[in-house]
Amino acid sequence: MDKWGYDERNQLVADIFHDNGQEFIKFRNGKEILVDTAYKWGWERVADYASPFSENNWSLGSINASES
């Protein structure tokens, strides 16, 4: 998340939390993603996934990414 500016990060990220030994990012659009998956995707793709305006429906299954 260091790749994003402070303002962009605050607009997209609601929380970072741990669950069953894994670290997740919770976005303001209700989606969640594993931190490890975010690194694999790259910040541009994660920003698109996290955007409330995104038309893309990235799907890696419930283990890697999910919508609430």
Side-chain angles (χ1 to χ4, degrees):
M1 286 177 287
D2 292 338
K3 302 288 184 190
W4 297 338
Y6 183 77
D7 289 337
E8 184 174 7
R9 182 180 65 232
N10 286 341
Q11 289 175 10
L12 298 177
V13 176
D15 193 19
I16 297 177
F17 66 96
H18 291 84
D19 187 25
N20 293 321
Q22 295 181 303
E23 190 173 30
F24 288 85
I25 303 169
K26 172 86 173 183
F27 297 107
R28 294 190 185 279
N29 67 3
K31 295 179 181 179
E32 299 172 355
I33 191 169
L34 280 168
V35 170
D36 289 342
T37 302
Y39 279 111
K40 290 176 187 172
W41 276 13
W43 296 115
E44 186 174 319
R45 184 175 175 189
V46 173
D48 185 46
Y49 175 78
S51 171
F53 308 110
S54 176
E55 294 295 323
N56 293 323
N57 185 16
W58 304 105
S59 177
L60 292 180
S62 61
I63 293 174
N64 294 325
S66 65
E67 274 189 70
S68 298

